[in-house]
């Protein structure tokens, strides 16, 4: 017998169905709540509200579990490529060899950006943040690639264009911002190696591909590929629910990710650690500031809306910090500071009581610095990683029979009815 939940309100009992997920998580289905009771729910930040039923990613915040289409993140980070992971998220299963080869050919064939788009880059002021440029350029793609008649063909080619071109666009924004010659994608390089070459190759200093560096970037992107209904994914779903084209929905996701409380945290962590290093601020001072309610300072890279234990991605990326720095025979004082900060915070009652642990952003910047990326590109790299997840979530919402235009309600707390006051009578 179907389990239900009952609400007693103004002497009447109302019954609502329960929805249960694959892993036993449960929700009250309140889609008839207002119709039955006249009531709505209020849930600032949607911490207690499910927006959809999804088969893409499973997270258990208490146990620190993350799986893409059922496969644990630890296995994907260990054995998969970012291309396979992207295919898995978008298509629901890992590709066979033939499908993977075809996917590679399509990504290569669509990896160039329309030459006229280069003029756009030159129009941005020199100091423009690459996230603002990327969001604008992705939105502009619709102007260069008008909608195709067949919806299925439109979706398939748009998905491929985004996955193939966003990498090139990111590298272009970096090169042009430095006044350097743009490096084109090469047909002989795989996805991540191609991006590194576009970023760092130069006519006077050819970039040498290091397989460990390529793998570190692949793992970084795999770890960031999806994360169920986070802020930027919810933005993609919400904007997409108005049936706008996918480029515009992804552009909205990029904008949402830019915030320092979300994807912008990886840049904010490095800026925080750099200040500690350059000014010799005692690490414990940061922990005290984070605890001080009068101080708006937050320990960047710590805490999470879902994970109330160690972010499984942070464990993996922390390991890669050591692997990569050892391989490159370089040390990073910021890693030492990060590890000292983690050690102090995890023993502090405030962090323990609030379940504040390192999240993926706490260590990811150390890996990106070791590879040679400038700090203001870190969130762009997060966006490239998250792109397959955004696309998968958008596609799932388009195919969801329950999906409607997203239009939350509110509780009005403003003025009661009042009259217009002519200008001459106003004080
Ligand atoms: C990402 O959602 C996702 O899945 C996101 C993401 C993804 O892959 O898409 O995982 C990527 O965005 C990771 C998070 C990156 N952001 C940061 O590292 C910024 C620092 N973190 C915090 O701002 C905060 O932890 C959030 C934004 C991540 C979560 O905020 P919540 O869920 O709204 O938690 P909260 O603000 O209600 O915090 C609960 C308590 C509060 O204390 P009280 O006001 O109740 O007394 O914990 C405190 C907070 O003040 N707190 C912190 C803190 N994070 C929470 N105090 C100090 N430092 C922090 N970092």
């Amino acid at each position: 017998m179907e389990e239900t939940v009952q609400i007693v309100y103004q002497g009447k009992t109302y019954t609502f169905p329960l929805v249960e997920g694959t892993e036993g998580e449960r929700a009250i289905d309140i889609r008839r709540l207002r119709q039955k009771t006249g009531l709505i729910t209020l849930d600032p930040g949607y911490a207690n509200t499910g927006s959809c039923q999804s088969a893409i990613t499973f997270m258990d915040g208490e146990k620190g579990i993350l799986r893409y289409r059922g496969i644990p993140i630890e296995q994907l980070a260990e054995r998969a490529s970012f291309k396979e992971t992207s295919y898995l998220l978008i298509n629901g299963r890992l590709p066979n060899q033939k499908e993977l080869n075809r996917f590679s050919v399509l990504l290569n064939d669509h990896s160039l950006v329309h030459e006229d788009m280069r003029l756009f880059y030159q129009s941005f002021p020199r100091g423009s943040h690459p996230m603002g440029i990327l969001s604008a350029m992705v939105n502009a793609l619709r102007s260069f690639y008008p909608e195709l008649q067949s919806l299925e063909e439109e979706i398939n080619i748009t998905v491929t264009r985004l996955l193939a071109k966003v990498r090139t666009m990111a590298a272009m924004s970096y090169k042009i911002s430095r006044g350097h010659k743009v490096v084109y994608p090469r047909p002989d390089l795989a996805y991540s190696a191609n991006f590194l070459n576009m970023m760092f190759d130069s006519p006077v200093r050819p970039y040498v591909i290091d397989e460990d560096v390529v793998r570190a970037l692949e793992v970084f992107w795999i770890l960031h590929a999806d994360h169920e209904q986070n802020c930027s994914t919810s933005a993609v779903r919400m904007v997409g629910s108005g049936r706008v084209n996918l480029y515009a929905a992804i552009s909205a996701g990029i904008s949402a990710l830019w915030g320092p409380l979300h994807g912008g945290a990886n840049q904010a962590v490095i800026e925080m650690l750099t200040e500690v290093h350059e000014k010799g601020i005692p690490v414990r001072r940061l922990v005290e500031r984070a605890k001080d309610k009068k101080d708006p300072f937050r320990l960047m890279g710590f805490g999470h809306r879902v994970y109330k234990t160690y972010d499984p991605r942070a464990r993996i990326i922390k390991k890669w910090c050591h692997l990569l720095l050892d391989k490159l025979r370089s040390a990073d004082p910021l890693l030492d500071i990060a590890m000292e900060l983690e050690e102090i915070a995890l023993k502090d009652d405030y962090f323990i009581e609030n379940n504040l642990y390192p999240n993926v952003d706490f260590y990811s910047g150390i890996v990106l610095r070791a590879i040679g990326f400038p700090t203001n590109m870190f969130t762009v790299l997060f966006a490239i990683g998250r792109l397959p997840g955004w696309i998968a979530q958008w596609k799932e919402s388009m195919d969801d029979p329950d999906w409607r235009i997203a239009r939350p309600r509110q509780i009005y707390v403003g003025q009661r009815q009042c009259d217009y006051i002519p200008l001459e009578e106003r004080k």
Side-chain angles (χ1 to χ4, degrees), residues 227 230 260-262 265 290 293 298-305 313 350 354 356 359 361 382 386:
H227 220 229
N230 58 83
L261 293 187
H262 190 16
K293 285 302 159 205
R298 287 205 160 180
L299 202 59
M300 302 316 278
F302 259 77
H304 199 276
R305 174 62 57 80
R313 304 168 298 175
Y350 172 85
N354 282 291
L356 302 177
N359 58 53
D361 295 304
F382 189 151
R386 183 53 50 88

PDB file of all heavy atoms in Angstrom, residues 227 230 260-262 265 290 293 298-305 313 350 354 356 359 361 382 386, ligand 1:
ATOM      1  N   HIS A 227      26.782  17.437  -9.980  1.00  0.00           N
ATOM      2  CA  HIS A 227      26.605  17.432  -8.528  1.00  0.00           C
ATOM      3  C   HIS A 227      25.149  17.636  -8.149  1.00  0.00           C
ATOM      4  O   HIS A 227      24.813  18.439  -7.297  1.00  0.00           O
ATOM      5  CB  HIS A 227      27.483  18.491  -7.871  1.00  0.00           C
ATOM      6  CG  HIS A 227      28.103  18.000  -6.588  1.00  0.00           C
ATOM      7  ND1 HIS A 227      28.082  18.702  -5.422  1.00  0.00           N
ATOM      8  CD2 HIS A 227      28.739  16.851  -6.297  1.00  0.00           C
ATOM      9  CE1 HIS A 227      28.679  18.029  -4.464  1.00  0.00           C
ATOM     10  NE2 HIS A 227      29.096  16.896  -4.971  1.00  0.00           N
ATOM     11  N   ASN A 230      22.699  21.533  -7.601  1.00  0.00           N
ATOM     12  CA  ASN A 230      23.415  22.673  -7.042  1.00  0.00           C
ATOM     13  C   ASN A 230      22.926  23.970  -7.675  1.00  0.00           C
ATOM     14  O   ASN A 230      22.101  23.962  -8.580  1.00  0.00           O
ATOM     15  CB  ASN A 230      24.909  22.483  -7.268  1.00  0.00           C
ATOM     16  CG  ASN A 230      25.216  22.335  -8.743  1.00  0.00           C
ATOM     17  OD1 ASN A 230      25.346  23.320  -9.454  1.00  0.00           O
ATOM     18  ND2 ASN A 230      25.247  21.111  -9.226  1.00  0.00           N
ATOM     19  N   PRO A 260      31.314  33.550  -5.456  1.00  0.00           N
ATOM     20  CA  PRO A 260      32.329  33.007  -4.539  1.00  0.00           C
ATOM     21  C   PRO A 260      31.768  31.962  -3.567  1.00  0.00           C
ATOM     22  O   PRO A 260      32.506  31.162  -3.012  1.00  0.00           O
ATOM     23  CB  PRO A 260      32.832  34.232  -3.781  1.00  0.00           C
ATOM     24  CG  PRO A 260      31.793  35.264  -3.964  1.00  0.00           C
ATOM     25  CD  PRO A 260      31.133  34.998  -5.285  1.00  0.00           C
ATOM     26  N   LEU A 261      30.447  31.933  -3.379  1.00  0.00           N
ATOM     27  CA  LEU A 261      29.899  30.891  -2.497  1.00  0.00           C
ATOM     28  C   LEU A 261      29.742  29.581  -3.250  1.00  0.00           C
ATOM     29  O   LEU A 261      29.479  28.537  -2.664  1.00  0.00           O
ATOM     30  CB  LEU A 261      28.541  31.322  -1.931  1.00  0.00           C
ATOM     31  CG  LEU A 261      28.545  32.510  -0.969  1.00  0.00           C
ATOM     32  CD1 LEU A 261      27.160  32.698  -0.360  1.00  0.00           C
ATOM     33  CD2 LEU A 261      29.590  32.362   0.116  1.00  0.00           C
ATOM     34  N   HIS A 262      29.863  29.628  -4.578  1.00  0.00           N
ATOM     35  CA  HIS A 262      29.670  28.457  -5.430  1.00  0.00           C
ATOM     36  C   HIS A 262      30.988  28.168  -6.158  1.00  0.00           C
ATOM     37  O   HIS A 262      32.016  28.020  -5.504  1.00  0.00           O
ATOM     38  CB  HIS A 262      28.482  28.712  -6.366  1.00  0.00           C
ATOM     39  CG  HIS A 262      27.992  27.528  -7.144  1.00  0.00           C
ATOM     40  ND1 HIS A 262      28.306  26.234  -6.848  1.00  0.00           N
ATOM     41  CD2 HIS A 262      27.189  27.458  -8.240  1.00  0.00           C
ATOM     42  CE1 HIS A 262      27.712  25.413  -7.710  1.00  0.00           C
ATOM     43  NE2 HIS A 262      27.026  26.133  -8.573  1.00  0.00           N
ATOM     44  N   ALA A 265      34.504  29.790  -5.460  1.00  0.00           N
ATOM     45  CA  ALA A 265      35.236  29.521  -4.216  1.00  0.00           C
ATOM     46  C   ALA A 265      36.649  29.039  -4.501  1.00  0.00           C
ATOM     47  O   ALA A 265      37.574  29.315  -3.725  1.00  0.00           O
ATOM     48  CB  ALA A 265      34.489  28.493  -3.380  1.00  0.00           C
ATOM     49  N   ALA A 290      36.519  33.059  11.127  1.00  0.00           N
ATOM     50  CA  ALA A 290      35.402  32.289  10.553  1.00  0.00           C
ATOM     51  C   ALA A 290      34.332  32.026  11.610  1.00  0.00           C
ATOM     52  O   ALA A 290      33.151  31.929  11.294  1.00  0.00           O
ATOM     53  CB  ALA A 290      35.931  30.973   9.978  1.00  0.00           C
ATOM     54  N   LYS A 293      30.762  35.693  14.655  1.00  0.00           N
ATOM     55  CA  LYS A 293      29.496  36.022  13.996  1.00  0.00           C
ATOM     56  C   LYS A 293      29.447  37.480  13.558  1.00  0.00           C
ATOM     57  O   LYS A 293      28.697  37.845  12.669  1.00  0.00           O
ATOM     58  CB  LYS A 293      28.312  35.729  14.936  1.00  0.00           C
ATOM     59  CG  LYS A 293      28.009  34.233  15.077  1.00  0.00           C
ATOM     60  CD  LYS A 293      27.701  33.612  13.740  1.00  0.00           C
ATOM     61  CE  LYS A 293      27.891  32.119  13.709  1.00  0.00           C
ATOM     62  NZ  LYS A 293      28.177  31.611  12.346  1.00  0.00           N
ATOM     63  N   ARG A 298      34.157  34.135   5.778  1.00  0.00           N
ATOM     64  CA  ARG A 298      33.906  32.691   5.805  1.00  0.00           C
ATOM     65  C   ARG A 298      35.159  31.979   5.334  1.00  0.00           C
ATOM     66  O   ARG A 298      35.858  32.476   4.453  1.00  0.00           O
ATOM     67  CB  ARG A 298      32.739  32.325   4.887  1.00  0.00           C
ATOM     68  CG  ARG A 298      31.419  32.751   5.489  1.00  0.00           C
ATOM     69  CD  ARG A 298      30.293  31.912   4.965  1.00  0.00           C
ATOM     70  NE  ARG A 298      29.138  31.976   5.835  1.00  0.00           N
ATOM     71  CZ  ARG A 298      28.017  31.316   5.576  1.00  0.00           C
ATOM     72  NH1 ARG A 298      27.929  30.579   4.501  1.00  0.00           N
ATOM     73  NH2 ARG A 298      26.989  31.393   6.391  1.00  0.00           N
ATOM     74  N   LEU A 299      35.417  30.816   5.875  1.00  0.00           N
ATOM     75  CA  LEU A 299      36.578  30.035   5.476  1.00  0.00           C
ATOM     76  C   LEU A 299      36.259  29.436   4.108  1.00  0.00           C
ATOM     77  O   LEU A 299      35.480  28.482   3.987  1.00  0.00           O
ATOM     78  CB  LEU A 299      36.837  28.941   6.507  1.00  0.00           C
ATOM     79  CG  LEU A 299      38.257  28.386   6.547  1.00  0.00           C
ATOM     80  CD1 LEU A 299      39.249  29.501   6.841  1.00  0.00           C
ATOM     81  CD2 LEU A 299      38.366  27.296   7.608  1.00  0.00           C
ATOM     82  N   MET A 300      36.831  30.016   3.077  1.00  0.00           N
ATOM     83  CA  MET A 300      36.503  29.565   1.721  1.00  0.00           C
ATOM     84  C   MET A 300      37.019  28.149   1.498  1.00  0.00           C
ATOM     85  O   MET A 300      38.077  27.782   1.980  1.00  0.00           O
ATOM     86  CB  MET A 300      37.112  30.520   0.694  1.00  0.00           C
ATOM     87  CG  MET A 300      36.663  31.953   0.844  1.00  0.00           C
ATOM     88  SD  MET A 300      34.892  32.108   1.130  1.00  0.00           S
ATOM     89  CE  MET A 300      34.274  31.977  -0.519  1.00  0.00           C
ATOM     90  N   GLY A 301      36.217  27.336   0.807  1.00  0.00           N
ATOM     91  CA  GLY A 301      36.589  25.946   0.591  1.00  0.00           C
ATOM     92  C   GLY A 301      36.133  25.017   1.701  1.00  0.00           C
ATOM     93  O   GLY A 301      36.356  23.814   1.656  1.00  0.00           O
ATOM     94  N   PHE A 302      35.451  25.634   2.714  1.00  0.00           N
ATOM     95  CA  PHE A 302      34.919  24.810   3.817  1.00  0.00           C
ATOM     96  C   PHE A 302      33.402  24.891   3.835  1.00  0.00           C
ATOM     97  O   PHE A 302      32.815  25.927   3.523  1.00  0.00           O
ATOM     98  CB  PHE A 302      35.460  25.330   5.154  1.00  0.00           C
ATOM     99  CG  PHE A 302      36.600  24.500   5.690  1.00  0.00           C
ATOM    100  CD1 PHE A 302      37.869  24.621   5.153  1.00  0.00           C
ATOM    101  CD2 PHE A 302      36.390  23.579   6.709  1.00  0.00           C
ATOM    102  CE1 PHE A 302      38.929  23.857   5.632  1.00  0.00           C
ATOM    103  CE2 PHE A 302      37.451  22.812   7.205  1.00  0.00           C
ATOM    104  CZ  PHE A 302      38.722  22.950   6.656  1.00  0.00           C
ATOM    105  N   GLY A 303      32.756  23.825   4.223  1.00  0.00           N
ATOM    106  CA  GLY A 303      31.303  23.793   4.358  1.00  0.00           C
ATOM    107  C   GLY A 303      30.632  23.381   3.061  1.00  0.00           C
ATOM    108  O   GLY A 303      31.198  23.504   1.978  1.00  0.00           O
ATOM    109  N   HIS A 304      29.409  22.885   3.214  1.00  0.00           N
ATOM    110  CA  HIS A 304      28.660  22.456   2.022  1.00  0.00           C
ATOM    111  C   HIS A 304      27.193  22.274   2.411  1.00  0.00           C
ATOM    112  O   HIS A 304      26.882  21.830   3.508  1.00  0.00           O
ATOM    113  CB  HIS A 304      29.205  21.126   1.480  1.00  0.00           C
ATOM    114  CG  HIS A 304      28.816  20.867   0.064  1.00  0.00           C
ATOM    115  ND1 HIS A 304      27.619  20.302  -0.268  1.00  0.00           N
ATOM    116  CD2 HIS A 304      29.461  21.134  -1.089  1.00  0.00           C
ATOM    117  CE1 HIS A 304      27.530  20.216  -1.587  1.00  0.00           C
ATOM    118  NE2 HIS A 304      28.637  20.716  -2.116  1.00  0.00           N
ATOM    119  N   ARG A 305      26.292  22.613   1.474  1.00  0.00           N
ATOM    120  CA  ARG A 305      24.869  22.463   1.777  1.00  0.00           C
ATOM    121  C   ARG A 305      24.484  20.991   1.929  1.00  0.00           C
ATOM    122  O   ARG A 305      23.631  20.668   2.746  1.00  0.00           O
ATOM    123  CB  ARG A 305      24.061  23.084   0.613  1.00  0.00           C
ATOM    124  CG  ARG A 305      22.566  22.893   0.678  1.00  0.00           C
ATOM    125  CD  ARG A 305      21.927  23.532   1.885  1.00  0.00           C
ATOM    126  NE  ARG A 305      22.168  24.955   2.013  1.00  0.00           N
ATOM    127  CZ  ARG A 305      21.512  25.887   1.346  1.00  0.00           C
ATOM    128  NH1 ARG A 305      20.620  25.539   0.446  1.00  0.00           N
ATOM    129  NH2 ARG A 305      21.752  27.165   1.564  1.00  0.00           N
ATOM    130  N   ARG A 313      35.182  14.356  -3.123  1.00  0.00           N
ATOM    131  CA  ARG A 313      36.002  14.915  -4.205  1.00  0.00           C
ATOM    132  C   ARG A 313      37.248  15.597  -3.636  1.00  0.00           C
ATOM    133  O   ARG A 313      38.315  15.592  -4.242  1.00  0.00           O
ATOM    134  CB  ARG A 313      35.174  15.925  -5.011  1.00  0.00           C
ATOM    135  CG  ARG A 313      33.869  15.367  -5.570  1.00  0.00           C
ATOM    136  CD  ARG A 313      32.981  16.475  -6.083  1.00  0.00           C
ATOM    137  NE  ARG A 313      32.604  17.392  -5.012  1.00  0.00           N
ATOM    138  CZ  ARG A 313      31.895  18.511  -5.217  1.00  0.00           C
ATOM    139  NH1 ARG A 313      31.509  18.844  -6.423  1.00  0.00           N
ATOM    140  NH2 ARG A 313      31.589  19.290  -4.206  1.00  0.00           N
ATOM    141  N   TYR A 350      33.506  24.552  16.747  1.00  0.00           N
ATOM    142  CA  TYR A 350      32.581  25.276  15.850  1.00  0.00           C
ATOM    143  C   TYR A 350      32.440  24.528  14.535  1.00  0.00           C
ATOM    144  O   TYR A 350      31.339  24.322  14.029  1.00  0.00           O
ATOM    145  CB  TYR A 350      33.123  26.679  15.602  1.00  0.00           C
ATOM    146  CG  TYR A 350      32.359  27.464  14.553  1.00  0.00           C
ATOM    147  CD1 TYR A 350      31.210  28.197  14.878  1.00  0.00           C
ATOM    148  CD2 TYR A 350      32.763  27.463  13.214  1.00  0.00           C
ATOM    149  CE1 TYR A 350      30.519  28.915  13.925  1.00  0.00           C
ATOM    150  CE2 TYR A 350      32.076  28.171  12.255  1.00  0.00           C
ATOM    151  CZ  TYR A 350      30.955  28.897  12.614  1.00  0.00           C
ATOM    152  OH  TYR A 350      30.252  29.587  11.650  1.00  0.00           O
ATOM    153  N   ASN A 354      29.090  22.471  13.346  1.00  0.00           N
ATOM    154  CA  ASN A 354      28.406  22.893  12.116  1.00  0.00           C
ATOM    155  C   ASN A 354      28.689  21.977  10.935  1.00  0.00           C
ATOM    156  O   ASN A 354      28.331  22.304   9.804  1.00  0.00           O
ATOM    157  CB  ASN A 354      28.825  24.339  11.771  1.00  0.00           C
ATOM    158  CG  ASN A 354      28.097  25.356  12.647  1.00  0.00           C
ATOM    159  OD1 ASN A 354      26.883  25.537  12.518  1.00  0.00           O
ATOM    160  ND2 ASN A 354      28.830  25.964  13.572  1.00  0.00           N
ATOM    161  N   LEU A 356      31.390  21.329   9.309  1.00  0.00           N
ATOM    162  CA  LEU A 356      32.115  22.056   8.254  1.00  0.00           C
ATOM    163  C   LEU A 356      33.419  21.321   7.929  1.00  0.00           C
ATOM    164  O   LEU A 356      34.315  21.227   8.756  1.00  0.00           O
ATOM    165  CB  LEU A 356      32.422  23.490   8.707  1.00  0.00           C
ATOM    166  CG  LEU A 356      31.201  24.331   9.085  1.00  0.00           C
ATOM    167  CD1 LEU A 356      31.623  25.699   9.581  1.00  0.00           C
ATOM    168  CD2 LEU A 356      30.246  24.476   7.903  1.00  0.00           C
ATOM    169  N   ASN A 359      35.588  21.253   1.157  1.00  0.00           N
ATOM    170  CA  ASN A 359      34.851  20.805  -0.024  1.00  0.00           C
ATOM    171  C   ASN A 359      35.822  20.779  -1.200  1.00  0.00           C
ATOM    172  O   ASN A 359      37.009  21.076  -1.046  1.00  0.00           O
ATOM    173  CB  ASN A 359      33.651  21.729  -0.288  1.00  0.00           C
ATOM    174  CG  ASN A 359      34.065  23.174  -0.485  1.00  0.00           C
ATOM    175  OD1 ASN A 359      34.918  23.474  -1.315  1.00  0.00           O
ATOM    176  ND2 ASN A 359      33.499  24.086   0.309  1.00  0.00           N
ATOM    177  N   ASP A 361      36.566  22.642  -3.469  1.00  0.00           N
ATOM    178  CA  ASP A 361      37.297  23.860  -3.836  1.00  0.00           C
ATOM    179  C   ASP A 361      38.500  24.131  -2.956  1.00  0.00           C
ATOM    180  O   ASP A 361      39.341  24.975  -3.289  1.00  0.00           O
ATOM    181  CB  ASP A 361      36.340  25.063  -3.772  1.00  0.00           C
ATOM    182  CG  ASP A 361      35.238  24.940  -4.816  1.00  0.00           C
ATOM    183  OD1 ASP A 361      35.587  24.796  -6.006  1.00  0.00           O
ATOM    184  OD2 ASP A 361      34.059  24.932  -4.437  1.00  0.00           O
ATOM    185  N   PHE A 382      36.339  25.023 -13.744  1.00  0.00           N
ATOM    186  CA  PHE A 382      35.219  24.360 -13.079  1.00  0.00           C
ATOM    187  C   PHE A 382      34.043  24.283 -14.073  1.00  0.00           C
ATOM    188  O   PHE A 382      33.405  23.234 -14.225  1.00  0.00           O
ATOM    189  CB  PHE A 382      34.823  25.160 -11.832  1.00  0.00           C
ATOM    190  CG  PHE A 382      33.822  24.502 -10.910  1.00  0.00           C
ATOM    191  CD1 PHE A 382      33.835  24.790  -9.553  1.00  0.00           C
ATOM    192  CD2 PHE A 382      32.841  23.633 -11.360  1.00  0.00           C
ATOM    193  CE1 PHE A 382      32.913  24.218  -8.669  1.00  0.00           C
ATOM    194  CE2 PHE A 382      31.903  23.059 -10.503  1.00  0.00           C
ATOM    195  CZ  PHE A 382      31.944  23.354  -9.149  1.00  0.00           C
ATOM    196  N   ARG A 386      31.948  21.110 -15.378  1.00  0.00           N
ATOM    197  CA  ARG A 386      30.521  20.964 -15.038  1.00  0.00           C
ATOM    198  C   ARG A 386      29.618  20.932 -16.263  1.00  0.00           C
ATOM    199  O   ARG A 386      28.463  20.489 -16.186  1.00  0.00           O
ATOM    200  CB  ARG A 386      30.116  22.123 -14.117  1.00  0.00           C
ATOM    201  CG  ARG A 386      28.691  22.110 -13.587  1.00  0.00           C
ATOM    202  CD  ARG A 386      28.240  20.833 -12.882  1.00  0.00           C
ATOM    203  NE  ARG A 386      29.111  20.342 -11.859  1.00  0.00           N
ATOM    204  CZ  ARG A 386      29.044  20.720 -10.572  1.00  0.00           C
ATOM    205  NH1 ARG A 386      28.167  21.611 -10.195  1.00  0.00           N
ATOM    206  NH2 ARG A 386      29.866  20.206  -9.680  1.00  0.00           N
TER     207      ARG A 386
HETATM  208  C1  LIG B   1      30.421  24.415  -4.354  1.00  0.00           C
HETATM  209  O1  LIG B   1      25.846  22.658  -3.993  1.00  0.00           O
HETATM  210  C2  LIG B   1      26.868  22.092  -4.531  1.00  0.00           C
HETATM  211  O2  LIG B   1      26.870  20.916  -4.783  1.00  0.00           O
HETATM  212  C3  LIG B   1      28.025  23.028  -4.819  1.00  0.00           C
HETATM  213  C4  LIG B   1      29.303  22.402  -5.325  1.00  0.00           C
HETATM  214  C5  LIG B   1      29.122  21.769  -6.697  1.00  0.00           C
HETATM  215  O3  LIG B   1      29.923  20.865  -7.035  1.00  0.00           O
HETATM  216  O4  LIG B   1      28.254  22.276  -7.452  1.00  0.00           O
HETATM  217  O5  LIG B   1      29.745  21.387  -4.411  1.00  0.00           O
HETATM  218  C6  LIG B   1      30.408  23.444  -5.474  1.00  0.00           C
HETATM  219  O6  LIG B   1      29.825  25.457  -4.486  1.00  0.00           O
HETATM  220  C7  LIG B   1      31.122  24.059  -3.078  1.00  0.00           C
HETATM  221  C8  LIG B   1      30.988  25.182  -1.985  1.00  0.00           C
HETATM  222  C9  LIG B   1      32.007  26.269  -2.290  1.00  0.00           C
HETATM  223  N1  LIG B   1      31.794  27.443  -1.439  1.00  0.00           N
HETATM  224  C10 LIG B   1      32.627  27.705  -0.413  1.00  0.00           C
HETATM  225  O7  LIG B   1      33.587  27.008  -0.091  1.00  0.00           O
HETATM  226  C11 LIG B   1      32.303  29.021   0.293  1.00  0.00           C
HETATM  227  C12 LIG B   1      32.396  28.838   1.819  1.00  0.00           C
HETATM  228  N2  LIG B   1      31.292  27.981   2.220  1.00  0.00           N
HETATM  229  C13 LIG B   1      30.117  28.581   2.774  1.00  0.00           C
HETATM  230  O8  LIG B   1      29.805  29.851   2.258  1.00  0.00           O
HETATM  231  C14 LIG B   1      28.944  27.618   2.951  1.00  0.00           C
HETATM  232  O9  LIG B   1      29.433  26.522   3.605  1.00  0.00           O
HETATM  233  C15 LIG B   1      28.173  27.163   1.727  1.00  0.00           C
HETATM  234  C16 LIG B   1      27.710  28.303   0.886  1.00  0.00           C
HETATM  235  C17 LIG B   1      28.988  26.234   0.901  1.00  0.00           C
HETATM  236  C18 LIG B   1      26.950  26.388   2.243  1.00  0.00           C
HETATM  237  O10 LIG B   1      26.140  27.316   2.868  1.00  0.00           O
HETATM  238  P1  LIG B   1      24.780  26.845   3.594  1.00  0.00           P
HETATM  239  O11 LIG B   1      24.421  25.459   3.244  1.00  0.00           O
HETATM  240  O12 LIG B   1      23.761  27.899   3.377  1.00  0.00           O
HETATM  241  O13 LIG B   1      25.212  26.753   5.090  1.00  0.00           O
HETATM  242  P2  LIG B   1      24.948  27.874   6.122  1.00  0.00           P
HETATM  243  O14 LIG B   1      25.394  29.185   5.553  1.00  0.00           O
HETATM  244  O15 LIG B   1      23.533  27.750   6.592  1.00  0.00           O
HETATM  245  O16 LIG B   1      25.968  27.459   7.274  1.00  0.00           O
HETATM  246  C19 LIG B   1      25.522  26.777   8.417  1.00  0.00           C
HETATM  247  C20 LIG B   1      26.336  27.413   9.543  1.00  0.00           C
HETATM  248  C21 LIG B   1      26.189  28.926   9.593  1.00  0.00           C
HETATM  249  O17 LIG B   1      26.337  29.302  10.944  1.00  0.00           O
HETATM  250  P3  LIG B   1      25.054  30.000  11.646  1.00  0.00           P
HETATM  251  O18 LIG B   1      24.825  31.299  10.903  1.00  0.00           O
HETATM  252  O19 LIG B   1      23.898  29.020  11.499  1.00  0.00           O
HETATM  253  O20 LIG B   1      25.510  30.197  13.086  1.00  0.00           O
HETATM  254  O21 LIG B   1      27.734  27.171   9.303  1.00  0.00           O
HETATM  255  C22 LIG B   1      28.394  28.436   9.122  1.00  0.00           C
HETATM  256  C23 LIG B   1      27.352  29.478   8.827  1.00  0.00           C
HETATM  257  O22 LIG B   1      27.766  30.738   9.296  1.00  0.00           O
HETATM  258  N3  LIG B   1      29.296  28.275   7.981  1.00  0.00           N
HETATM  259  C24 LIG B   1      30.537  28.751   7.934  1.00  0.00           C
HETATM  260  C25 LIG B   1      31.040  28.326   6.699  1.00  0.00           C
HETATM  261  N4  LIG B   1      30.104  27.640   6.027  1.00  0.00           N
HETATM  262  C26 LIG B   1      29.023  27.623   6.825  1.00  0.00           C
HETATM  263  N5  LIG B   1      31.249  29.477   8.821  1.00  0.00           N
HETATM  264  C27 LIG B   1      32.514  29.789   8.446  1.00  0.00           C
HETATM  265  N6  LIG B   1      33.089  29.419   7.276  1.00  0.00           N
HETATM  266  C28 LIG B   1      32.380  28.696   6.385  1.00  0.00           C
HETATM  267  N7  LIG B   1      32.927  28.334   5.227  1.00  0.00           N
END
